[in-house]
Amino acid sequence: MVQHAVLLTGAISNSQLLPLLERLVGLTGKIEFNGCENYAEHEIALTPKHKTPFGPARNNDIMIRLRCDLLDSENEQSRWRICHLGVPEPVRASTKANSRAVYDISVNGDAKKYVEALGYTFSFEYLKKGFEFVSGDFQVLIYKTFNIVERGDVSSAKLHPKAMDIWIVELSSLVPQEYVERRSAEVHRFSTYLKG
């Protein structure tokens, strides 16, 4: 079943991080939160090896992503998911947040070999590290992005130069398409609780 991600994205400075974390602890009831980062995800973007020539049909080339939760203690090969993010829907007056179709499946076995067998090749990769909070159907991610210097080696990740004083904040919720409009209003309402 296709889910739709209803999403709001913003950015905060380093000085705004602690007040936001305190607010989220209160909103989510996560009193065991100790201030340590609890989110780290490696993402690899892949494109078809044989690209369609430039023109209208070029839009048929689909980028897929491999995502790996680096804090999952299980076997590395079982931590990978294949994701495809659909084209974002235009924001309308009735929808106060972005939405897009999301296909996200877990992979058993070697995910990298699997996508290569499907005809995909490496395009780029990066690392996201920070904080994750969940409240009911809402997920809040606060993270910085890191460039991976040595392909595939997350230990070579270096903080992106433009991310020195900026944290990305994502508020999202997954719903079937028929609930996007209602969930959009709920996401927008929840976002007002995050403001100081």
Side-chain angles (χ1 to χ4, degrees):
M1 179 171 160
V2 178
Q3 294 284 318
H4 278 68
V6 179
L7 176 73
L8 285 175
T9 307
I12 60 171
S13 66
N14 286 337
S15 64
Q16 297 170 302
L17 178 63
L18 186 56
L20 178 58
L21 293 177
E22 290 171 350
R23 221 168 292 120
L24 282 165
V25 167
L27 284 169
T28 62
K30 194 172 184 177
I31 56 172
E32 73 279 1
F33 178 70
N34 61 6
C36 295
E37 292 183 356
N38 61 356
Y39 172 75
E41 186 172 71
H42 180 197
E43 184 163 316
I44 303 171
L46 302 115
T47 53
K49 287 180 187 172
H50 305 289
K51 294 180 177 57
T52 307
F54 282 106
R58 184 72 181 254
N59 290 335
N60 294 336
D61 289 349
I62 294 174
M63 176 182 284
I64 61 173
R65 298 163 190 266
L66 286 178
R67 291 180 173 170
C68 179
D69 178 356
L70 297 176
L71 301 181
D72 187 343
S73 60
E74 292 183 22
N75 178 342
E76 181 186 346
Q77 292 199 356
S78 68
R79 297 183 296 177
W80 287 96
R81 299 178 340 267
I82 297 177
C83 305
H84 168 63
L85 305 175
V87 177
E89 298 287 329
V91 177
R92 299 182 305 275
S94 61
T95 58
K96 299 179 190 248
N98 294 316
S99 69
R100 61 171 39 173
V102 175
Y103 303 85
D104 191 331
I105 58 165
S106 296
V107 178
N108 293 324
D110 191 331
K112 294 175 187 174
K113 284 185 180 175
Y114 178 69
V115 293
E116 285 175 10
L118 291 175
Y120 282 85
T121 187
F122 176 89
S123 183
F124 62 88
E125 67 183 330
Y126 60 95
L127 175 64
K128 298 189 292 189
K129 285 178 60 179
F131 307 92
E132 176 184 33
F133 289 86
V134 176
S135 178
D137 293 330
F138 303 105
Q139 177 189 45
V140 180
L141 297 176
I142 306 162
Y143 61 86
K144 289 191 176 205
T145 55
F146 294 76
N147 295 328
I148 296 178
V149 179
E150 300 288 327
R151 186 169 157 187
D153 180 8
V154 293
S155 67
S156 72
K158 302 281 187 226
L159 185 62
H160 191 285
K162 293 183 179 180
M164 293 292 184
D165 187 45
I166 293 177
W167 290 87
I168 304 297
V169 180
E170 286 184 6
L171 169 59
S172 64
S173 183
L174 290 174
V175 293
Q177 184 174 14
E178 59 268 20
Y179 297 113
V180 166
E181 201 166 313
R182 182 172 61 197
R183 184 56 53 88
S184 173
E186 293 168 357
V187 165
H188 188 265
R189 187 170 37 257
F190 189 88
S191 74
T192 62
Y193 304 141
L194 303 181
K195 296 177 183 172

